[in-house]
């Protein structure tokens, strides 16, 4: 649900691209439901969607948007972009998961999908103090920067 909603909120920014590529290695600790949300968005909005299990074996082309879930894959994408003639945010797009200060400056700013860590911590503290448990949805949002 989160990636679907995040991509939907970026729909106008994605219009200049043709292919959305989700980097999802077999060893990823990320929930496989991310793939479902990604594929549902691509189907509904008419994008070619591609799962990329290994960034080193992917051919980067103009019109691609990479969605990186893991930091190692983000490094691979950044290295490939820097070694190419493509301009990030114009010819090739990049979205990363989980914000950090480094992502706000890397390549003049990387667009991110991120959870609200402050809200997550507050909810966790409330649960501990109240001696409760359960599953709760945490806010998830898109922060648009120059990479898209």
């Amino acid at each position: 649900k989160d990636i679907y909603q995040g991509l939907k909120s970026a729909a106008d920014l994605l219009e200049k691209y043709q292919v959305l590529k989700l980097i999802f290695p077999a060893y990823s600790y990320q929930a496989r439901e991310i793939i479902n949300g990604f594929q549902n968005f691509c189907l509904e909005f008419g994008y070619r969607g591609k799962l990329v299990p290994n960034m080193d074996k992917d051919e980067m082309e103009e019109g691609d948007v990479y969605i990186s879930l893991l930091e190692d894959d983000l490094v691979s994408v950044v290295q490939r972009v820097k070694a190419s003639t493509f301009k990030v945010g114009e010819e090739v797009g990049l979205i990363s998961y989980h914000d950090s200060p480094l992502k706000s400056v890397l390549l003049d700013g990387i667009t991110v999908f991120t959870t609200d860590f402050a809200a997550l911590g507050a909810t966790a503290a409330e649960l501990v103090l109240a001696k409760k448990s359960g599953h709760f949805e945490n806010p998830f949002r898109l922060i648009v920067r120059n990479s898209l």
Side-chain angles (χ1 to χ4, degrees):
K1 176 182 165 190
D2 288 340
I3 192 167
Y4 174 86
Q5 292 297 334
L7 288 168
K8 189 173 177 180
S9 70
D12 59 328
L13 297 169
L14 293 170
E15 287 178 355
K16 60 185 168 188
Y17 302 104
Q18 292 78 47
V19 181
L20 303 184
K21 295 182 174 183
L22 177 64
I23 307 169
F24 203 96
Y27 59 85
S28 177
Y29 59 83
Q30 298 286 345
R32 296 201 59 81
E33 289 82 3
I34 291 171
I35 296 171
N36 296 336
F38 171 76
Q39 291 173 331
N40 289 340
F41 176 83
C42 290
L43 283 172
E44 184 175 330
F45 286 82
Y47 285 98
R48 283 189 9 235
K50 180 179 176 187
L51 292 179
V52 177
N54 184 338
M55 186 59 208
D56 294 332
K57 296 181 180 180
D58 183 72
E59 288 294 324
M60 183 178 286
E61 297 179 10
E62 185 172 343
D64 289 348
V65 174
Y66 288 91
I67 302 167
S68 171
L69 305 176
L70 304 174
E71 299 300 304
D72 289 347
D73 293 324
L74 175 62
V75 170
S76 294
V77 174
V78 169
Q79 288 173 333
R80 296 272 305 278
V81 166
K82 290 180 99 177
S84 77
T85 60
F86 297 128
K87 292 185 180 185
V88 74
E90 294 178 25
E91 299 161 323
V92 174
L94 176 57
I95 303 172
S96 183
Y97 256 48
H98 307 302
D99 196 22
S100 71
L102 182 61
K103 292 176 186 176
S104 71
V105 296
L106 188 63
L107 295 178
D108 293 325
I110 294 178
T111 297
V112 294
F113 294 130
T114 192
T115 193
D116 184 334
F117 290 107
L120 181 65
T123 300
E126 288 174 21
L127 292 172
V128 168
L129 292 172
K131 297 181 182 178
K132 289 184 178 179
S133 65
H135 294 277
F136 299 90
E137 191 170 321
N138 197 59
F140 191 81
R141 62 193 167 108
L142 173 72
I143 301 174
V144 177
R145 297 191 179 117
N146 291 329
S147 70
L148 198 58

